[in-house]
């Protein structure tokens, strides 16, 4: 950390700050300039006390961090790309993973026909919410355990791996029993106790970006998983809140490039929550491939007009098959295969 002293501060007051820096466990190295003095505080910022509180002293102008706060998720700690093994299906590297299926599991026919259709078109992982985080308590909340039973049946029939949302710490055991990937939703992205509970299962975790979460906060949320011994993490960009209302959210494709640069972990893009409009999903999928994403999480429904949640953003079977065909040259261009 760098502690910047206000110009004109008398020497005894600078010495006071130097002593405080030392008390906090850092090695203070003052640099006396003609105009301004700065104190470089040497030490690991992640494990020592934070020096930021020194800004309460009138002689301290600013305290600037030098080190990044995230460590295990960062490329510095692991320069190569990490792969995540989802019950034998690899995510990351030169593989491009297609996770597709309905927003919510609604009934057996809906789920099983969708599973067959997405598998046929090239998906390897089936999505479907059994527990749904709905804005209104009067909206469809998901089938819960029955939804999990149907997901297990779909896996048995198709061999597709399963991703479903882990909404609460109370659900950890029964969700982890069925799901190959635990999805942490946007609304829970910084629910640290839930992240720790998910980490402890040892299962792959897909961490959605929070509705208004900054990239540094998202990386630190991911750090929770690795700090608690679970390296099977995938980040998922799903759009953020901005002033724009033309689309449901603003899909931040720049964040994909940032995470790929900052972190060794795979990045998945969810264009469905990302824009909230079925007619834009294909374009966003192409963009995600070009930005270097490692996969897509796409909502697919047999009849979106009748969906119990997010009907407006789900593509039908033909739309999904066309989209998959259309992606091929883009995947070839970036050297990835499904
Ligand atoms: C979903 O995937 O259906 C969902 C609710 O996602 P998010 O948490 O990104 O809103
Ligand atoms: Mn949805």
């Amino acid at each position: 950390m760098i502690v910047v002293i206000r110009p004109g501060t008398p020497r005894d007051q600078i010495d006071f700050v130097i002593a405080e820096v030392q008390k906090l466990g850092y090695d203070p190295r003052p640099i006396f300039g003609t105009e301004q003095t700065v104190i470089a505080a040497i030490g690991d910022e992640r494990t020592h006390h934070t020096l930021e509180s020194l800004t309460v002293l009138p002689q301290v102008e600013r305290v600037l961090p030098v080190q990044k706060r995230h460590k295990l998720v960062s490329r510095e700690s692991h320069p190569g790309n990490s792969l995540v093994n989802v019950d034998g299906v690899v995510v990351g590297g030169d593989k491009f993973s297609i996770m597709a299926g309905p927003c919510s599991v609604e009934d057996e026919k809906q789920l099983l026909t969708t599973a067959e259709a997405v598998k046929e078109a090239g998906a390897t992982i089936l999505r479907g919410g059994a527990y749904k985080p709905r804005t209104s308590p009067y909206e469809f909340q998901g089938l819960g355990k029955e939804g999990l039973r149907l997901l297990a049946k779909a896996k048995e029939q198709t061999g597709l791996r399963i991703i479903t949302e882990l909404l609460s710490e109370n659900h950890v055991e029964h969700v982890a029993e069925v799901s190959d990937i635990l999805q942490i939703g946007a609304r829970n992205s910084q629910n640290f106790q839930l992240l720790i509970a998910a980490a402890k299962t040892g299962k792959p975790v897909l961490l959605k970006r929070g509705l208004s979460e900054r990239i540094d906060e998202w990386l630190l949320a991911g750090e929770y998983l690795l700090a608690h011994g679970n390296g099977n993490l995938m980040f998922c960009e799903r759009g953020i809140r901005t002033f724009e209302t033309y689309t449901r959210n603003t899909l931040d494709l720049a964040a994909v490039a940032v995470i790929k640069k900052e972190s060794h972990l795979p990045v998945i893009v969810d264009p469905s929550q990302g824009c909230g409009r079925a007619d834009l999903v294909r374009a966003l999928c192409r963009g995600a491939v070009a930005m270097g994403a490692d996969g897509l999480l796409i909502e697919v429904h047999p009849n979106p007009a009748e969906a119990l949640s997010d009907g407006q953003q789900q593509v039908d079977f033909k739309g999904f098959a066309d989209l998959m065909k259309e992606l091929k040259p883009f995947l070839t261009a970036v050297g990835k295969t499904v």
Side-chain angles (χ1 to χ4, degrees):
M1 290 263 211
I2 304 288
V3 182
V4 182
I5 305 293
R6 256 180 230 291
T9 300
R11 179 61 201 252
D12 63 326
Q13 285 186 38
I14 298 176
D15 288 343
F16 180 84
V17 181
I18 293 172
E20 286 298 310
V21 168
Q22 202 153 25
K23 261 195 234 163
L24 287 167
Y26 293 82
D27 177 13
R29 309 269 176 91
I31 302 154
F32 296 97
T34 45
E35 294 285 326
Q36 201 147 19
T37 293
V38 298
I39 303 164
I42 313 293
D44 188 347
E45 290 167 22
R46 287 175 295 250
T47 51
H48 285 61
H49 288 287
T50 172
L51 292 167
E52 273 156 16
S53 49
L54 290 180
T55 47
V56 298
L57 298 173
Q59 65 271 46
V60 172
E61 192 172 271
R62 268 176 302 159
V63 177
L64 307 167
V66 176
Q67 274 181 327
K68 287 173 184 159
R69 291 163 79 200
H70 54 275
K71 181 175 168 185
L72 301 171
V73 298
S74 74
R75 266 211 193 270
E76 284 93 58
S77 73
H78 189 283
N81 289 319
S82 285
L83 307 179
V84 174
N85 185 330
V86 180
D87 191 23
V89 168
V90 173
V91 177
D94 46 20
K95 278 279 164 213
F96 193 81
S97 304
I98 305 292
M99 310 179 184
C103 174
S104 302
V105 178
E106 298 173 3
D107 58 60
E108 183 162 332
K109 187 160 170 251
Q110 175 242 20
L111 188 68
L112 295 181
T113 54
T114 309
E116 294 291 353
V118 298
K119 182 182 176 185
E120 173 75 24
T124 50
I125 299 171
L126 176 68
R127 67 149 287 151
Y131 291 98
K132 295 302 299 178
R134 305 307 303 277
T135 301
S136 162
Y138 307 117
E139 289 167 346
F140 179 59
Q141 305 285 311
L143 297 179
K145 285 191 176 162
E146 170 62 6
L148 292 173
R149 186 185 72 77
L150 295 175
L151 286 165
K153 186 162 185 182
K155 180 176 181 178
E156 199 182 291
Q157 284 199 6
T158 60
L160 289 169
R161 308 308 190 261
I162 301 296
I163 175 168
T164 196
E165 180 161 351
L166 175 65
L167 200 54
S168 156
E169 281 170 73
N170 298 331
H171 303 160
V172 173
E173 271 172 36
H174 61 278
V175 171
E177 209 175 288
V178 168
S179 199
D180 299 301
I181 303 174
L182 305 178
Q183 172 176 327
I184 303 289
R187 290 151 194 84
N188 271 317
S189 194
Q190 287 184 296
N191 180 340
F192 304 118
Q193 294 308 313
L194 185 64
L195 296 180
I196 294 168
K200 286 185 178 157
T201 65
K203 287 253 166 168
V205 172
L206 178 131
L207 177 62
K208 295 255 194 146
R209 183 175 181 184
L211 304 176
S212 300
E213 193 174 21
R214 292 196 319 252
I215 292 172
D216 61 326
E217 294 169 324
W218 187 22
L219 286 164
L220 281 170
E223 188 79 12
Y224 267 86
L225 273 299
L226 275 69
H228 284 84
N230 190 339
N232 302 311
L233 173 64
M234 291 157 274
F235 287 102
C236 177
E237 165 60 38
R238 49 77 71 205
I240 49 171
R241 283 272 166 84
T242 68
F243 54 83
E244 184 57 75
T245 53
Y246 196 86
T247 48
R248 180 182 180 186
N249 291 298
T250 299
L251 187 71
D252 184 6
L253 284 180
V256 176
V258 174
I259 299 282
K260 291 304 296 177
K261 201 171 169 166
E262 283 292 324
S263 177
H264 52 93
L265 295 158
V267 183
I268 307 298
V269 168
D270 174 347
S272 311
Q273 328 301 318
C275 66
R277 292 176 45 156
D279 61 337
L280 298 179
V281 164
R282 284 161 74 165
L284 297 181
C285 288
R286 297 194 300 263
V289 173
M291 287 306 270
D294 296 288
L296 291 162
L297 180 68
I298 307 172
E299 290 187 343
V300 182
H301 194 283
N303 183 1
E306 288 179 7
L308 297 183
S309 62
D310 287 350
Q312 73 290 352
Q313 67 194 32
Q314 306 206 52
V315 295
D316 62 15
F317 296 169
K318 181 173 181 318
F320 182 68
D322 289 348
L323 182 163
M324 290 294 288
K325 274 192 214 115
E326 197 180 277
L327 280 185
K328 280 205 178 111
F330 290 83
L331 290 167
T332 308
V334 296
K336 288 188 177 146
T337 52
V338 171

